[in-house]
Amino acid sequence: MKNLKQVTKKLQKAVAEVIQQYVMIEENDKIMVCLSGGKDSYTLLDLLLYFQKVAPISFELIAVNLDQKQPNFPEEILPNYLENLGVNYKIIEKNTYKIVMEKTPEGKTTCSLCSRLRRGTLYEAAKDLGCNKIALGHHRNDILETFFLNLFFSGKLETMPPKFKNDTGDLVVLRPLAFCKESDIETYANFMNFPIIPCNLCGSQENLQRKKVKQMITEWETEFPNRNAIMMNALKNVFPSHLLDTNLYDFENLESKIVATSLAN
Protein backbone atom coordinates (compact mmCIF):
# COMPACT_ATOMS: atom_id res chain seq x y z
CA MET A 1 0.00 0.00 0.00
CA LYS A 2 1.38 3.38 -0.99
CA ASN A 3 1.60 5.94 1.77
CA LEU A 4 0.22 9.45 1.48
CA LYS A 5 3.63 11.06 0.90
CA GLN A 6 4.47 8.72 -1.98
CA VAL A 7 1.17 9.07 -3.82
CA THR A 8 1.12 12.85 -3.26
CA LYS A 9 4.56 13.19 -4.87
CA LYS A 10 3.50 11.02 -7.81
CA LEU A 11 0.40 13.10 -8.46
CA GLN A 12 2.20 16.41 -8.03
CA LYS A 13 4.92 15.30 -10.45
CA ALA A 14 2.35 14.16 -13.04
CA VAL A 15 0.39 17.42 -12.81
CA ALA A 16 3.53 19.55 -12.95
CA GLU A 17 4.61 17.66 -16.08
CA VAL A 18 1.32 18.14 -17.93
CA ILE A 19 1.07 21.81 -16.92
CA GLN A 20 4.57 22.43 -18.26
CA GLN A 21 4.23 20.40 -21.48
CA TYR A 22 0.95 22.01 -22.51
CA VAL A 23 1.55 25.48 -21.02
CA MET A 24 -1.68 25.25 -19.07
CA ILE A 25 -1.38 28.05 -16.52
CA GLU A 26 -0.11 31.58 -17.08
CA GLU A 27 0.18 34.79 -15.10
CA ASN A 28 -3.19 36.29 -14.03
CA ASP A 29 -5.26 33.34 -15.23
CA LYS A 30 -8.62 32.95 -13.54
CA ILE A 31 -9.43 29.25 -13.55
CA MET A 32 -12.80 27.72 -12.80
CA VAL A 33 -12.30 24.31 -11.18
CA CYS A 34 -15.30 22.08 -11.86
CA LEU A 35 -16.12 20.22 -8.66
CA SER A 36 -18.58 17.35 -8.96
CA GLY A 37 -18.05 15.81 -5.55
CA GLY A 38 -16.22 12.79 -6.93
CA LYS A 39 -12.67 11.65 -6.12
CA ASP A 40 -11.21 13.10 -9.34
CA SER A 41 -12.48 16.66 -8.93
CA TYR A 42 -11.58 16.79 -5.22
CA THR A 43 -8.05 15.69 -6.09
CA LEU A 44 -7.90 18.21 -8.94
CA LEU A 45 -8.84 21.09 -6.65
CA ASP A 46 -6.41 19.97 -3.96
CA LEU A 47 -3.48 19.77 -6.38
CA LEU A 48 -4.24 23.10 -8.06
CA LEU A 49 -4.41 24.77 -4.65
CA TYR A 50 -0.96 23.33 -3.94
CA PHE A 51 0.48 24.68 -7.20
CA GLN A 52 -1.18 28.03 -6.57
CA LYS A 53 0.93 28.26 -3.39
CA VAL A 54 4.26 27.15 -4.88
CA ALA A 55 4.09 28.45 -8.46
CA PRO A 56 6.27 31.45 -9.40
CA ILE A 57 3.26 33.07 -11.05
CA SER A 58 -0.02 34.41 -9.69
CA PHE A 59 -3.34 32.89 -10.76
CA GLU A 60 -6.82 32.70 -9.29
CA LEU A 61 -8.99 29.65 -8.62
CA ILE A 62 -12.74 29.41 -8.08
CA ALA A 63 -14.42 26.08 -7.40
CA VAL A 64 -17.80 25.65 -9.09
CA ASN A 65 -20.36 22.91 -8.56
CA LEU A 66 -23.47 22.38 -10.66
CA ASP A 67 -26.34 21.20 -8.48
CA GLN A 68 -28.38 19.27 -11.06
CA LYS A 69 -31.22 18.64 -8.60
CA GLN A 70 -30.76 14.90 -8.51
CA PRO A 71 -33.01 13.21 -5.95
CA ASN A 72 -31.51 13.04 -2.46
CA PHE A 73 -28.48 15.11 -3.49
CA PRO A 74 -26.71 16.17 -0.25
CA GLU A 75 -26.46 19.84 -1.17
CA GLU A 76 -24.80 20.88 2.08
CA ILE A 77 -21.65 18.74 1.65
CA LEU A 78 -19.73 20.81 -0.90
CA PRO A 79 -20.45 24.27 0.56
CA ASN A 80 -19.39 23.03 4.01
CA TYR A 81 -16.23 21.44 2.63
CA LEU A 82 -15.24 24.50 0.59
CA GLU A 83 -15.97 26.96 3.39
CA ASN A 84 -13.83 24.92 5.79
CA LEU A 85 -11.10 24.87 3.14
CA GLY A 86 -11.35 28.64 2.69
CA VAL A 87 -11.77 28.37 -1.06
CA ASN A 88 -13.63 30.85 -3.26
CA TYR A 89 -16.59 28.96 -4.70
CA LYS A 90 -20.00 29.14 -6.35
CA ILE A 91 -22.86 26.62 -6.42
CA ILE A 92 -25.00 26.78 -9.57
CA GLU A 93 -28.50 25.35 -9.33
CA LYS A 94 -30.10 24.04 -12.52
CA ASN A 95 -32.55 21.18 -12.83
CA THR A 96 -30.81 19.32 -15.65
CA TYR A 97 -31.83 16.05 -13.98
CA LYS A 98 -35.47 16.63 -14.93
CA ILE A 99 -34.54 17.45 -18.53
CA VAL A 100 -32.35 14.35 -18.83
CA MET A 101 -35.01 12.03 -17.44
CA GLU A 102 -37.71 13.52 -19.68
CA LYS A 103 -35.64 13.46 -22.87
CA THR A 104 -33.85 10.11 -22.53
CA PRO A 105 -35.82 7.12 -23.90
CA GLU A 106 -36.37 4.25 -21.49
CA GLY A 107 -33.45 1.84 -21.50
CA LYS A 108 -31.00 4.38 -22.97
CA THR A 109 -28.09 5.86 -21.05
CA THR A 110 -28.31 9.39 -19.71
CA CYS A 111 -24.58 10.18 -19.93
CA SER A 112 -24.45 11.92 -23.31
CA LEU A 113 -27.30 14.38 -22.74
CA CYS A 114 -26.31 14.97 -19.12
CA SER A 115 -22.76 15.77 -20.21
CA ARG A 116 -23.89 18.24 -22.91
CA LEU A 117 -26.22 20.10 -20.55
CA ARG A 118 -23.62 20.21 -17.81
CA ARG A 119 -20.90 21.42 -20.16
CA GLY A 120 -23.03 24.22 -21.60
CA THR A 121 -24.05 25.42 -18.14
CA LEU A 122 -20.47 25.39 -16.86
CA TYR A 123 -19.17 27.29 -19.91
CA GLU A 124 -21.74 30.01 -19.30
CA ALA A 125 -20.84 30.12 -15.61
CA ALA A 126 -17.14 30.54 -16.45
CA LYS A 127 -17.90 33.56 -18.63
CA ASP A 128 -20.19 35.09 -15.98
CA LEU A 129 -17.45 34.67 -13.36
CA GLY A 130 -14.82 36.25 -15.59
CA CYS A 131 -12.77 33.06 -15.92
CA ASN A 132 -10.59 32.52 -18.97
CA LYS A 133 -9.93 28.84 -18.27
CA ILE A 134 -11.80 25.80 -16.96
CA ALA A 135 -10.18 22.82 -15.24
CA LEU A 136 -11.78 19.38 -15.48
CA GLY A 137 -10.90 16.25 -13.50
CA HIS A 138 -10.35 13.73 -16.31
CA HIS A 139 -7.33 11.50 -15.74
CA ARG A 140 -5.15 9.13 -17.78
CA ASN A 141 -7.62 6.25 -17.62
CA ASP A 142 -10.44 8.50 -18.90
CA ILE A 143 -8.27 9.50 -21.86
CA LEU A 144 -7.42 5.90 -22.76
CA GLU A 145 -11.00 4.74 -22.35
CA THR A 146 -12.27 7.54 -24.60
CA PHE A 147 -9.69 6.65 -27.23
CA PHE A 148 -10.88 3.04 -27.40
CA LEU A 149 -14.55 4.02 -27.27
CA ASN A 150 -14.03 6.21 -30.33
CA LEU A 151 -11.92 3.53 -32.03
CA PHE A 152 -14.36 0.67 -31.44
CA PHE A 153 -17.73 2.41 -31.65
CA SER A 154 -17.26 5.67 -33.61
CA GLY A 155 -14.61 4.72 -36.15
CA LYS A 156 -12.25 7.59 -35.39
CA LEU A 157 -8.90 8.21 -33.70
CA GLU A 158 -9.82 10.78 -31.08
CA THR A 159 -9.66 11.22 -27.33
CA MET A 160 -9.70 13.89 -24.61
CA PRO A 161 -6.87 16.40 -25.18
CA PRO A 162 -5.11 17.84 -22.13
CA LYS A 163 -5.89 21.36 -23.37
CA PHE A 164 -8.34 22.73 -25.94
CA LYS A 165 -10.57 25.68 -26.79
CA ASN A 166 -14.34 25.48 -26.59
CA ASP A 167 -16.37 25.72 -29.81
CA THR A 168 -16.83 29.48 -29.53
CA GLY A 169 -13.12 29.97 -28.88
CA ASP A 170 -13.48 32.15 -25.80
CA LEU A 171 -12.50 29.61 -23.12
CA VAL A 172 -9.53 27.28 -22.70
CA VAL A 173 -10.37 23.93 -21.13
CA LEU A 174 -7.68 22.13 -19.13
CA ARG A 175 -7.25 18.56 -17.89
CA PRO A 176 -4.40 18.87 -15.37
CA LEU A 177 -4.84 15.23 -14.25
CA ALA A 178 -4.23 13.92 -17.79
CA PHE A 179 -1.02 12.09 -16.79
CA CYS A 180 -2.37 10.83 -13.43
CA LYS A 181 -3.34 7.20 -12.87
CA GLU A 182 -6.85 6.62 -11.58
CA SER A 183 -5.50 4.19 -8.97
CA ASP A 184 -3.23 6.91 -7.54
CA ILE A 185 -6.14 9.36 -7.42
CA GLU A 186 -8.27 6.77 -5.64
CA THR A 187 -5.53 6.11 -3.10
CA TYR A 188 -5.05 9.83 -2.53
CA ALA A 189 -8.79 10.45 -2.12
CA ASN A 190 -9.01 7.64 0.44
CA PHE A 191 -6.09 9.06 2.42
CA MET A 192 -7.58 12.55 2.31
CA ASN A 193 -11.04 11.25 3.26
CA PHE A 194 -12.83 13.51 0.79
CA PRO A 195 -16.64 13.64 1.30
CA ILE A 196 -17.48 11.78 -1.92
CA ILE A 197 -20.91 12.35 -3.48
CA PRO A 198 -22.00 9.49 -5.79
CA CYS A 199 -23.68 10.26 -9.12
CA ASN A 200 -27.22 8.91 -9.18
CA LEU A 201 -27.48 9.29 -12.96
CA CYS A 202 -24.58 7.62 -14.76
CA GLY A 203 -23.24 5.92 -11.66
CA SER A 204 -26.41 3.87 -11.28
CA GLN A 205 -26.46 2.56 -14.83
CA GLU A 206 -25.00 -0.83 -15.66
CA ASN A 207 -23.48 -2.30 -18.83
CA LEU A 208 -22.31 0.96 -20.32
CA GLN A 209 -19.75 0.62 -23.11
CA ARG A 210 -17.30 2.70 -21.07
CA LYS A 211 -17.46 0.18 -18.25
CA LYS A 212 -16.67 -2.61 -20.68
CA VAL A 213 -13.71 -0.70 -22.11
CA LYS A 214 -12.51 0.11 -18.56
CA GLN A 215 -12.60 -3.57 -17.70
CA MET A 216 -10.68 -4.44 -20.87
CA ILE A 217 -7.94 -1.90 -20.10
CA THR A 218 -7.75 -3.06 -16.47
CA GLU A 219 -7.30 -6.68 -17.57
CA TRP A 220 -4.59 -5.66 -20.05
CA GLU A 221 -2.72 -3.77 -17.35
CA THR A 222 -2.92 -6.76 -15.02
CA GLU A 223 -1.63 -9.14 -17.67
CA PHE A 224 0.93 -6.73 -19.13
CA PRO A 225 2.06 -4.23 -16.45
CA ASN A 226 2.84 -0.72 -17.74
CA ARG A 227 0.71 -1.16 -20.87
CA ASN A 228 -1.33 1.93 -19.97
CA ALA A 229 1.81 4.06 -19.86
CA ILE A 230 2.88 2.71 -23.25
CA MET A 231 -0.55 3.44 -24.77
CA MET A 232 -0.53 6.93 -23.31
CA ASN A 233 2.91 7.52 -24.82
CA ALA A 234 1.59 6.35 -28.20
CA LEU A 235 -1.02 9.12 -28.11
CA LYS A 236 1.85 11.62 -27.92
CA ASN A 237 3.75 10.03 -30.83
CA VAL A 238 1.52 10.28 -33.90
CA PHE A 239 2.80 9.75 -37.47
CA PRO A 240 0.14 10.99 -39.95
CA SER A 241 2.10 9.56 -42.92
CA HIS A 242 1.65 6.09 -41.44
CA LEU A 243 -2.10 6.36 -41.06
CA LEU A 244 -4.83 6.72 -43.70
CA ASP A 245 -6.24 10.23 -43.28
CA THR A 246 -5.81 12.25 -46.48
CA ASN A 247 -6.69 15.44 -44.58
CA LEU A 248 -3.63 15.03 -42.39
CA TYR A 249 -1.14 13.89 -44.99
CA ASP A 250 -0.81 14.73 -48.69
CA PHE A 251 -0.75 11.25 -50.20
CA GLU A 252 -1.78 12.59 -53.63
CA ASN A 253 1.46 14.48 -54.13
CA LEU A 254 3.67 11.87 -52.51
CA GLU A 255 5.52 11.03 -55.75
CA SER A 256 6.48 14.65 -56.40
CA LYS A 257 7.81 14.89 -52.84
CA ILE A 258 9.98 11.83 -53.38
CA VAL A 259 11.37 13.23 -56.66
CA ALA A 260 12.11 16.61 -55.07
CA THR A 261 13.91 14.94 -52.18
CA SER A 262 15.91 12.79 -54.58
CA LEU A 263 17.00 15.79 -56.66
CA ALA A 264 17.97 17.73 -53.54
CA ASN A 265 20.27 14.93 -52.49
Side-chain angles (χ1 to χ4, degrees):
M1 173 68 74
K2 303 166 187 170
N3 62 39
L4 178 58
K5 187 175 181 180
Q6 287 175 322
V7 76
T8 299
K9 283 187 174 180
K10 282 187 69 176
L11 290 171
Q12 288 174 350
K13 181 180 178 182
V15 173
E17 185 179 350
V18 78
I19 288 175
Q20 183 177 24
Q21 278 192 27
Y22 296 95
V23 195
M24 286 191 173
I25 302 177
E26 299 172 285
E27 184 76 33
N28 296 323
D29 276 344
K30 185 173 183 181
I31 304 171
M32 187 178 94
V33 184
C34 297
L35 192 65
S36 66
K39 68 182 190 314
D40 306 329
S41 61
Y42 276 122
T43 300
L44 171 67
L45 177 61
D46 219 46
L47 290 169
L48 287 179
L49 286 170
Y50 164 76
F51 282 104
Q52 188 182 41
K53 292 176 184 175
V54 301
I57 59 173
S58 176
F59 61 93
E60 188 178 344
L61 298 174
I62 177 168
V64 172
N65 170 255
L66 172 59
D67 180 354
Q68 298 176 270
K69 298 304 174 184
Q70 297 177 17
N72 303 315
F73 181 78
E75 57 186 34
E76 75 286 349
I77 287 181
L78 284 172
N80 289 344
Y81 174 78
L82 294 167
E83 284 173 13
N84 289 334
L85 202 60
V87 174
N88 188 19
Y89 75 93
K90 183 174 179 62
I91 306 295
I92 301 166
E93 297 186 10
K94 188 170 183 179
N95 196 346
T96 59
Y97 177 84
K98 180 181 179 182
I99 298 171
V100 168
M101 300 314 291
E102 287 177 350
K103 299 292 184 182
T104 305
E106 187 175 351
K108 297 294 183 180
T109 62
T110 59
C111 301
S112 178
L113 177 58
C114 178
S115 178
R116 288 200 305 273
L117 291 172
R118 187 170 62 249
R119 185 167 57 245
T121 303
L122 290 172
Y123 284 176
E124 281 302 315
K127 295 172 193 174
D128 291 342
L129 292 168
C131 298
N132 63 317
K133 292 179 180 176
I134 298 177
L136 304 176
H138 299 117
H139 46 66
R140 188 177 80 173
N141 296 68
D142 291 322
I143 290 172
L144 292 174
E145 289 163 19
T146 301
F147 172 78
F148 283 107
L149 281 168
N150 283 321
L151 179 67
F152 294 152
F153 303 108
S154 299
K156 57 185 178 181
L157 294 179
E158 180 183 306
T159 190
M160 299 173 168
K163 177 182 178 182
F164 69 99
K165 274 193 173 184
N166 65 335
D167 291 340
T168 53
D170 52 2
L171 286 171
V172 175
V173 183
L174 311 173
R175 293 188 172 103
L177 303 183
F179 292 171
C180 297
K181 293 193 225 177
E182 183 175 22
S183 58
D184 288 336
I185 293 171
E186 189 167 0
T187 300
Y188 185 76
N190 288 336
F191 273 123
M192 298 300 291
N193 197 28
F194 294 134
I196 304 297
I197 302 173
C199 176
N200 293 323
L201 282 173
C202 55
S204 63
Q205 296 180 312
E206 299 298 331
N207 300 317
L208 299 181
Q209 296 295 359
R210 182 173 288 275
K211 290 187 178 181
K212 295 177 181 178
V213 169
K214 179 188 283 288
Q215 181 182 356
M216 177 192 76
I217 292 174
T218 300
E219 290 172 355
W220 280 354
E221 185 71 12
T222 302
E223 187 175 359
F224 305 100
N226 208 40
R227 175 171 279 192
N228 284 355
I230 294 169
M231 292 191 295
M232 194 68 179
N233 195 51
L235 294 176
K236 296 188 283 182
N237 289 278
V238 180
F239 294 85
S241 62
H242 287 59
L243 295 173
L244 285 74
D245 193 335
T246 56
N247 293 316
L248 292 180
Y249 189 77
D250 187 5
F251 292 98
E252 183 178 353
N253 297 307
L254 185 60
E255 289 80 2
S256 59
K257 290 180 181 178
I258 294 172
V259 171
T261 302
S262 176
L263 291 174
N265 293 333

